[in-house]
Amino acid sequence: MTESLVRATASSARRPLRLGTRGSPLALAQSGRIAAQLRERCGRPVFLVTVRTPGDGSTAPIERLGTTGVFTTALREALLRGDVDLVVHSCKDLPTASVPGVRVAAFPVREDPRDALIRPGGTGLDALPHGVRIGTGSPRRAAQLRALGLRPEIVPIRGNVDTRLRKLADGEVDALVLAMAGLSRLGLLDADATPLDPAMLMPAPAQGVLAVECRTDDPATAAQLTALDHAPTRVVTIAERGFLAALDAGCTAPVGALAELIVEPGAAPALRLSGVIAAPDGSAVVRGQLTGVVGDGAALGRRLAHMLLRHGAAELMDRTPHRVGDEVG
């Protein structure tokens, strides 16, 4: 490396970082946390740059806005233009296909991946009456809730967390289902929030995970972002996203997955991956689970996806096992 290149790299490692983020309260809270961690661990100034995405400000059901990239494409475009130096995504919104010129430099420590039922006084799903009005904008949550036999009235609902909570307070719905991670990051976890067992309501792949991206031609920023990377979170995220990628499904699909590291005395760490694929109306659900080695997460995800598709999930997704078999190799 030449002396001039060394000086340029050192200079770029000291200048303020521009962090691209959506403008929602949750996105700003998440990005603000990443900015604070970068300042603390790298001693580098960071300021937020708000980027508007097609998903912001729309009240249309999320599936009508497109299957992938609704909240992420505009951020990535700003990154590639050089308007910002890094971007922060909710990883469950991040398409599984790679984008030339962009890399995920860090998966910080995961928050609680579970969903939560929000109802005044707090209660579990088993205590809900038939016909209860549950607000959610997620086809995954709606399908699994219908499959539980509660015969709920699913009320399509979008908007910021505060907007949804206000609709609950105003009596427009009887309950909400929201991510534990989002509630935690906003400081809104309280007695009205009951965590839901993933066996009943499987979370979205990579729910509770943040993905921090930078450009591939910015090695100084990439190197500093590795200080935020959490190896166990990366391991489970790769497995869950491998499952999603093998299905060629986006964040609007009725698909859930959860990977867990299994550490037992005297045994090598293992990776357990559970997945679910549901019919949108809840009339059928296919579940499965596989265990593999920690360094084989993406392949484990592909194997689980192929297994579920061969056991009936292909019909639920209007696909054939042969097509997906070609994709996962």
Side-chain angles (χ1 to χ4, degrees), residues 137-190:
S138 163
R140 169 188 60 84
R141 290 170 178 150
Q144 292 187 79
L145 287 167
R146 292 184 176 115
L148 292 174
L150 298 172
R151 295 196 292 274
E153 177 186 347
I154 300 297
V155 180
I157 187 169
R158 283 200 62 221
N160 296 331
V161 173
D162 284 342
T163 299
R164 302 185 193 205
L165 292 173
R166 185 166 57 250
K167 290 184 177 183
L168 174 62
D170 290 344
E172 295 184 31
V173 293
D174 302 313
L176 296 169
V177 178
L178 298 171
M180 289 282 291
L183 293 167
S184 174
R185 289 171 180 148
L186 288 169
L188 294 175
L189 281 177
D190 58 25

Side-chain angles (χ1 to χ4, degrees), residues 171-233:
E172 295 184 31
V173 293
D174 302 313
L176 296 169
V177 178
L178 298 171
M180 289 282 291
L183 293 167
S184 174
R185 289 171 180 148
L186 288 169
L188 294 175
L189 281 177
D190 58 25
D192 292 341
T194 302
L196 299 177
D197 186 340
M200 298 182 70
L201 197 68
M202 187 73 70
Q207 184 160 301
V209 178
L210 298 180
V212 186
E213 289 187 322
C214 66
R215 291 186 299 277
T216 55
D217 64 0
D218 186 1
T221 297
Q224 291 187 320
L225 291 178
T226 59
L228 306 182
D229 196 56
H230 183 243
T233 296

